[in-house]
Amino acid sequence: QVQLVESGGGLVQPGGSLRLSCAASASGSSLRLATMRWYRQAPGKQRELVGTITSSGVTNYVDSVKGRFTISRDNAKNTVYLQMNSLKPEDTAVYYCNAPSIFTIGVTYLEVWGQGTPVTVSS
């Protein structure tokens, strides 16, 4: 009944920028998001936590993306964003949005994941 849908991935040159979106929806219900997380998984590597944003907008990032990536949210649209600047080839991965908890009337959903959107950084 709930889903997360990522969008905005694609091919970009080193040094370029992309903005990813993660939209949450529930069929026939309103919802409230708490902390949201962005992960990524490069080919042949384990999934890595990129960063988090709390319900009040406090963010944290893995050291490798600090100063280059920015997470934000629009609570009215139930959407979270990942702005990626100064992209490097090592940023190539499938990027996933994750919601530890999504609250609706009567039901709380735990550990909801999107399908992922691929990002390729290459010349």
Side-chain angles (χ1 to χ4, degrees), residues 16 23 32 37 56 67 73 94 111 115 118:
R32 179 173 66 85
R37 303 191 282 220
S56 60
R73 65 193 296 160
V94 177
E111 293 298 334
Q115 293 295 311

Side-chain angles (χ1 to χ4, degrees), residues 8-83:
L11 174 65
V12 64
Q13 294 183 348
S17 298
L18 283 175
R19 189 181 74 160
L20 308 183
S21 298
C22 171
S25 64
S27 55
S29 299
S30 61
L31 59 83
R32 179 173 66 85
L33 302 175
T35 293
M36 298 292 291
R37 303 191 282 220
W38 282 100
Y39 287 82
R40 66 185 180 185
Q41 187 165 25
K45 300 181 66 176
Q46 291 187 318
R47 186 156 49 202
E48 172 190 34
L49 177 63
V50 176
T52 64
I53 184 167
T54 70
S55 59
S56 60
V58 178
T59 56
N60 285 104
Y61 305 93
V62 68
D63 285 345
S64 60
V65 308
K66 286 182 178 177
R68 300 189 299 119
F69 290 12
T70 302
I71 301 173
S72 61
R73 65 193 296 160
D74 185 339
N75 290 331
K77 298 174 64 175
N78 293 322
T79 300
V80 181
Y81 304 95
L82 179 63
Q83 178 68 48

